[in-house]
Every structure is written in C-alpha cells, then in structure tokens.
C-alpha cells in the first residue's frame, strides 16, 4: 500500500441520453464462475485495524472470544468472508514472524515505520491470525517478507504453519500450543516490491521471486498457491517482465488499484464533496476495467490458457484521514458514494473472472474503505459501513455462474485534466459513466441474482429486463439507498444507511420492470 497524497481535479459533466434503460439477461449462456475470493478482505497492522478493531485481548472489558471482539466477529461472519490477507501491505515487508509467536508478554516490540511510527507489541501474530481465519471459516492469505526478510525466514514460516511432521518448526509450533498444522493456501511473495516492499526493478524482483518460491515448499498435503508481487495500476511493464521471467513458476500475480484522485496533496474529504467530485470518483473507479483488461492482455501473451490468476489484492477508495485521527492511521468515513464504488467494482470484477481469481478490499476494519468502524476509546460500539452492506447484499454472487447481459442506458461523461490527474495513465480527457450498471449470476442454489446501481444523484430510472432462457416465478429484492450521497453511519447514527426490502418492480411472463431510485443499489433474487 502506498503512503502518498493528491489534489482533486476540476471537471465538467456532459450528458448523452438514450430513451430508456433496457437489459437482456442471457440466463442460459453462463460459463465462468464468479470466484467467491473476489469478495475477499485485507487486514494490515495499520492504525486500529488489528488492535482495537479485531483484537482487544482476552482481558479487555469489551466482550470478546479469546481476545477477538465478539461484535466484530459476528459482523464478519455474516459476510461469509472467503479469504483474508495479512499482515500487510507495507507492514509485511518489515514483519518478522518469529517476533509474533510464543507467550504474548515475552514477544519483542517493534516500531511500525510505515504507519505512524507507533510501537507494535506483536500480541497479534501467526496463531492469532490463523485462529481468526478458522473462526471466520475463511482461507488465510499470508503476505511474506521479501523486502527486509530472508529466504530462510519465509521458508521456515511456511514450515511452522503447515508441517505436520517431526520438523524443527512443527515442533516449535507444538511447543507454542498448536499441535496440528493449519491449512494455508495463499502465499504472497512480497508486497509492492516496486515501492515500499523494496524499491526493486521488475527484473531483480523476478529473480528474487524464483528463489523464494523454490524454498517455500508444500508440506503434508498443504498446497501453496504462490502469488508474485505485481504491479500498481498502470505499470504494465512490471506485468510484462514478470510474465516473461517468472511465468508458470507463479500461480497468481497481484495488482493494486485505488480510487484516488492523485498522490500529491489533499485526497479530498470522505464526507464533504460536491456532485462533480462524486461523478469524478465513479469515473476513476470504473477505469479499473481498462486496467484489468490491459494486464490480462499482457498475461494472455505468455499464458493463453489463463492458468495464472490475476489477484486484485488491494483496491478501494482513499480519502483524507478523519479530522482529529492520528497521522498514518488512514482512518476515513464511508458514505453511500463508497458503497456505489464497491458495487460498480464488483460489476467489473464479475466480467473478468476468466482471469481474475481474487480481490481484497482495503481494509476490513477502521482503515480506508472499511467494513466495520469500532469505537476503541469509548463504549466499545461498532458501526457497519455502507460498503459492508454492499458486501452482505452481494453474497449470492459468491461462486455463482456469471450470466452475460446486454444493457442500453444513459451515459454521463466527466472531464478531467490529464496534466494534473497523474493517475489517468494516458492523455484521455473524458471518462464515461453508465447511469445504470448491472450484473447477473446464477447462484449455487439455482436462483438468478441481479444487481443494479443507479449512479444518478437526481433521477429515478425505469429498467426493463428481459430474462432470456429463464422462467421466473417469484422475485425478492433489497435496496440500499440514501437521502444524500454523503450519508454515512457512525456510532450515534448506526442505521442511517442500511438495506431495506424492495418491492418496486413488476414481473410479467419473463419481463421485469423495475423503478430504480436515484443513488441506489438493488439486488434481486429471481426464482424459477
């Protein structure tokens, strides 16, 4: 994760219109699976994501289970989290795992140089993380230290976690209270190795990856899915070099993309923004589609059968920190704008599941585009963010079969200045936003899930949907919307933005007519 800043860009909105929004869902043509790991999470030792967010320790007055906050645990269980990435982020490449094992009161401390210079006491380490994954029923994704670590250190960590034999690290794990090995599927070999993970060139990192991956072995039936540290947004050369020099020695290649207006100066307020800034944000968010497509094209040149997965293991919005919060903690509020960014991103991700195997939003608790906010200093209350509710509403899409669709809708064009918008990645002047966005999938239970987003701040939309190849009998719906796009949930108003039942639709034969309010996200489940 980068630790930089930016300036908002002036923009102009231009409208082009078609008569109405119409959509055809090809319910009989689905082939690709929407991998449940696309709904993955990310927890870094950053701010209060871990301490006070997930972990309060067993002696805390806040109700907990073995040190994990009960309220946060339940909220996360309700999301059906498929995979959780840890311990970073930039923190990963300064993290030495042996500092985080053994009796907690005997673990050495360290300074978190990336995030606020706070002292890390290592009370949340390997056992605490992997036990959390068991409590949540999710796959662990370990980010290994390549930047300041050694091959031996990472190899021994893999052995410690996954060996069930009479090996030195397995004996040490048993000595620390865990008899049987954990199952650890995903192993990231470094993080942002072009930046905070070592400022490396892709050629140098490629050789390092090959060495590290050689010595990170599979033990006792545990099969590692090894993920190389990939590019940040528009760095297509990094992907090209790794595909040429690492190739099928990796099972996955990461990619990071933040919806942020730049890295120099103010990133803009999370809760105070105007219509231009709102639409600019959606345009920047949707540019992730082109970024994924271009990285896929490079990967296809060397891997036409798409055996190597593309892993979007950091994504989301990035705003200025909450006023009064500590520097380096990346604490920000989360409005309906962020929820719409999440929904639009999922619609993009679903279209690329032939290559895109995992996505991990940054981050799970209290940091950036979080699911949950916790009151760590006061009453111990929590607030579920609008983004949390999107993840919860979109649960039916986990491991669903992607259904292709055709949509005709109004378009909004926003203008940006490529001389100041350093994240544009090219010289384009405009980005185009659909006023209605949609995705569909056939769920594991056989229903058809349809998600719709009305991005307009002002206009309700009628959407006419033809279900091709399906015989619909009943429809259930839920909606997430708001009075003002800046609405959000906090400890005093935890229910300002939350899902409600949605019934503003008509089903006639195989045609659905939906009245979609402005600033809304709707998920329907159609039973045949």
């Amino acid at each position: 994760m980068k630790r930089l800043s930016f300036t908002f860009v002036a923009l102009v909105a231009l409208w082009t219109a078609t008569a109405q929004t119409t959509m055809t869902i090809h319910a009989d043509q689905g082939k690709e699976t929407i991998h449940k790991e696309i709904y993955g999470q990310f927890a870094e030792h950053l701010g209060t994501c871990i301490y006070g967010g997930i972990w309060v320790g067993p002696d805390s007055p806040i109700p907990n289970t073995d040190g994990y906050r009960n309220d946060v645990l339940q909220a996360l269980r309700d999301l059906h989290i498929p995979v959780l990435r840890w311990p970073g982020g930039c923190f990963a490449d300064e993290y030495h795992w042996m500092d985080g094992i053994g009796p907690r009161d005997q673990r050495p401390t360290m300074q978190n140089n990336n995030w606020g210079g706070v002292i890390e006491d290592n009370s949340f380490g390997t056992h605490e993380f992997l036990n959390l994954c068991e409590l949540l029923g999710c796959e662990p994704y370990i980010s290994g230290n390549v930047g300041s670590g050694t091959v031996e250190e990472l190899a021994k960590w893999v052995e410690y976690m996954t060996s069930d034999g009479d090996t030195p690290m397995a004996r040490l794990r048993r000595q620390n209270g865990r008899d049987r090995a954990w199952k650890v599927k995903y192993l990231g070999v470094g993080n942002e190795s072009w930046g905070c993970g070592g400022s490396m060139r892709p050629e140098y990192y490629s050789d390092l990856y090959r060495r590290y991956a050689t010595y990170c072995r599979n033990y006792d039936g545990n099969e590692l899915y090894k993920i190389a540290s990939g590019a940040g947004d528009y760095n297509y050369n990094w992907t090209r070099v790794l595909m040429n020099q690492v190739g099928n020695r990796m099972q996955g290649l990461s990619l990071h993309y933040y919806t942020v207006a730049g890295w120099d100066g103010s990133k803009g307020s999370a809760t105070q923004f105007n219509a231009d800034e709102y639409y600019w944000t959606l345009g920047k968010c949707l540019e992730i589609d082109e970024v994924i497509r271009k990285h896929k094209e490079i990967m296809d040149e060397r891997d036409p059968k798409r055996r190597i997965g593309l892993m979007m293991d950091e994504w989301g919005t990035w705003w200025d920190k909450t006023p009064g919060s500590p520097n380096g903690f990346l604490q920000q509020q989360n409005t309906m704008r962020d929820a719409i960014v999440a929904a639009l991103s999922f619609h993009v991700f679903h279209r690329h599941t032939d290559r895109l195997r995992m996505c991990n939003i940054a981050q799970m608790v209290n940091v950036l585009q979080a699911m949950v906010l916790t009151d760590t200093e006061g009453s111990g209350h929590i607030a579920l963010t609008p983004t949390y509710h999107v993840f919860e509403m979109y649960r039916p899409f986990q491991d669903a079969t992607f259904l292709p669709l055709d949509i005709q809708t109004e378009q909004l064009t926003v203008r940006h200045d490529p001389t100041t918008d350093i994240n544009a990645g090219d010289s384009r002047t405009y980005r185009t936003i659909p006023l209605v966005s949609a995705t569909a999938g056939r769920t594991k239970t056989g229903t058809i899930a349809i998600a719709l987003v009305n991005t307009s701040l002002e206009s309700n939309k009628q959407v006419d949907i033809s279900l091709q190849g399906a015989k619909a009998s009943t429809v259930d719906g839920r909606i997430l919307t708001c009075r003002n796009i800046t609405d959000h949930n906090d400890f005093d108003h935890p229910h300002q933005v939350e899902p409600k039942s949605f019934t503003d639709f008509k089903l006639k034969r195989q045609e659905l007519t939906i009245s979609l309010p402005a600033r809304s996200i709707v998920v329907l489940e159609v039973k045949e």
Side-chain angles (χ1 to χ4, degrees):
M1 168 181 303
K2 304 167 190 163
R3 189 167 178 242
L4 304 166
S5 56
F6 77 87
T7 305
F8 262 123
V9 182
L11 49 94
V12 177
L14 303 174
W15 293 86
T16 61
T18 58
Q20 63 187 90
T21 295
T22 61
M23 184 165 65
T24 300
I25 296 175
H26 303 283
D28 53 353
Q29 294 185 20
K31 295 180 179 179
E32 300 290 341
T33 296
I34 300 170
H35 307 285
K36 64 182 179 181
E37 290 81 6
I38 282 173
Y39 291 85
Q41 297 287 334
F42 173 31
E44 184 170 3
H45 287 245
L46 195 175
T48 56
C49 182
I50 302 293
Y51 301 110
I54 300 167
W55 177 259
V56 292
D59 298 326
S60 172
I62 296 174
N64 67 87
T65 299
D66 297 328
Y68 308 101
R69 291 183 62 134
N70 288 343
D71 48 8
V72 173
L73 267 182
Q74 188 56 55
L76 298 177
R77 283 175 173 146
D78 290 343
L79 290 185
H80 299 179
I81 291 171
V83 60
L84 177 56
R85 181 174 181 244
W86 174 86
C90 293
F91 181 81
D93 282 287
E94 287 194 296
Y95 180 66
H96 299 282
W97 68 271
M98 294 193 78
D99 292 343
I101 60 174
R104 294 189 192 103
D105 60 357
Q106 297 177 26
R107 298 179 188 179
T109 61
M110 63 174 286
Q111 180 167 299
N112 190 332
N113 294 307
N114 288 286
W115 307 118
V118 298
I119 298 301
E120 161 71 50
D121 70 2
N122 283 306
S123 61
F124 189 96
T126 299
H127 289 248
E128 289 76 19
F129 171 67
L130 294 177
N131 290 342
L132 171 64
C133 290
E134 289 186 339
L135 287 170
L136 295 176
C138 69
E139 293 278 3
Y141 175 2
I142 295 287
S143 289
N145 183 346
V146 171
S148 68
T150 65
V151 173
E152 179 184 16
E153 181 182 18
L154 187 53
K156 285 184 173 179
W157 198 7
V158 171
E159 179 187 333
Y160 183 92
M161 293 184 290
T162 64
S163 171
D164 255 333
D166 187 21
T167 67
M169 292 299 102
R171 291 196 297 270
L172 179 59
R173 183 193 68 240
R174 295 185 187 107
Q175 178 183 322
N176 289 327
R178 173 78 181 199
D179 180 42
R180 61 184 176 85
W182 293 280
K183 290 295 184 183
V184 176
K185 180 175 181 179
Y186 297 105
L187 178 69
V189 182
N191 167 77
E192 292 192 355
S193 297
W194 39 264
C196 65
S199 300
M200 302 176 195
R201 295 174 296 109
E203 295 81 5
Y204 177 75
Y205 172 77
S206 295
D207 287 340
L208 268 187
Y209 173 87
R210 291 161 66 124
R211 184 176 173 218
Y212 272 75
T214 298
Y215 292 99
C216 292
R217 305 183 188 279
N218 294 326
Y219 290 93
D220 301 307
N222 186 81
E223 295 287 333
L224 292 172
Y225 187 102
K226 299 170 188 175
I227 300 170
S229 174
D233 44 52
Y234 310 98
N235 188 351
Y236 303 111
N237 182 60
W238 186 277
T239 296
R240 184 171 291 106
V241 171
L242 264 62
M243 290 301 297
N244 289 336
Q245 298 194 12
V246 176
N248 60 13
R249 291 176 176 85
M250 58 186 170
Q251 284 77 54
L253 178 61
S254 71
L255 176 63
H256 292 177
Y257 185 94
Y258 284 97
T259 296
V260 60
W263 300 109
D264 298 323
S266 170
K267 294 178 176 65
S269 170
T271 58
Q272 299 178 30
F273 51 89
N274 60 31
D276 280 353
E277 291 167 340
Y278 163 76
Y279 287 118
W280 185 95
T281 298
L282 302 194
K284 172 64 178 172
C285 155
L286 288 169
E287 196 167 288
I288 200 171
D289 183 66
E290 180 179 343
V291 169
I292 291 172
R293 180 177 55 78
K294 287 184 176 180
H295 285 283
K296 283 174 56 179
E297 289 172 355
I298 295 167
M299 296 176 75
D300 285 348
E301 293 172 8
R302 291 299 301 269
D303 179 33
K305 294 185 177 179
R306 296 177 176 171
R307 292 170 176 162
I308 300 169
L310 183 61
M311 328 297 277
M312 181 71 69
D313 61 19
E314 289 186 29
W315 68 277
T317 57
W318 195 321
W319 310 115
D320 289 343
K321 73 183 186 74
T322 300
S325 65
N327 291 329
F329 277 28
L330 304 190
Q331 179 180 321
Q332 66 184 44
Q333 249 300 347
N334 192 305
T335 69
M336 188 65 192
R337 172 176 66 170
D338 299 279
I340 289 176
V341 166
L344 293 177
S345 298
F346 287 138
H347 296 188
V348 172
F349 297 159
H350 291 179
R351 295 197 295 270
H352 292 288
T353 49
D354 55 348
R355 174 75 77 174
L356 189 65
R357 308 287 165 76
M358 182 195 297
C359 302
N360 308 80
I361 193 168
Q363 290 186 14
M364 193 161 70
V365 184
N366 288 335
V367 172
L368 296 177
Q369 194 174 349
M371 307 297 104
V372 182
L373 304 178
T374 67
D375 182 4
T376 59
E377 301 298 329
S379 61
H381 292 163
I382 68 169
L384 306 179
T385 68
T387 297
Y388 174 95
H389 294 305
V390 174
F391 272 75
E392 189 274 328
M393 291 171 67
Y394 277 56
R395 285 185 320 182
F397 289 103
Q398 292 190 24
D399 279 344
T401 300
F402 175 71
L403 297 179
L405 58 82
D406 303 313
I407 186 170
Q408 295 80 42
T409 188
E410 297 168 293
Q411 303 287 325
L412 172 66
T413 301
V414 294
R415 184 181 180 210
H416 71 91
D417 180 356
T419 64
T420 57
D421 179 7
I422 62 170
N423 271 321
D426 56 35
S427 59
R428 288 176 305 162
T429 305
Y430 299 99
R431 296 187 179 104
T432 301
I433 303 161
L435 291 190
V436 175
S437 175
T439 191
R442 187 173 291 278
T443 72
K444 291 186 292 183
T445 61
T447 63
I448 297 172
I450 305 169
L452 301 156
V453 179
N454 183 352
T455 61
S456 172
L457 290 177
E458 303 295 338
S459 302
N460 300 340
K461 303 296 176 185
Q462 178 175 307
V463 183
D464 297 323
I465 301 177
S466 174
L467 295 169
Q468 189 176 90
K471 296 180 179 180
S473 60
T474 61
V475 181
D476 293 318
R478 296 169 75 203
I479 185 170
L480 188 71
T481 189
C482 59
R483 181 171 296 180
N484 301 301
I485 195 64
T486 55
D487 286 349
H488 55 276
N489 299 328
D490 57 29
F491 307 122
D492 295 325
H493 309 90
H495 305 295
Q496 186 158 277
V497 183
E498 61 183 7
K500 293 178 173 57
S501 177
F502 178 74
T503 59
D504 205 354
F505 56 82
K506 295 179 181 178
L507 175 63
K508 186 176 182 180
R509 298 188 179 90
Q510 307 315 310
E511 305 292 327
L512 260 174
T513 300
I514 301 164
S515 297
L516 196 62
R519 310 172 301 282
S520 71
I521 301 166
V522 167
V523 175
L524 305 171
E525 280 203 73
V526 179
K527 295 180 181 179
E528 296 185 86

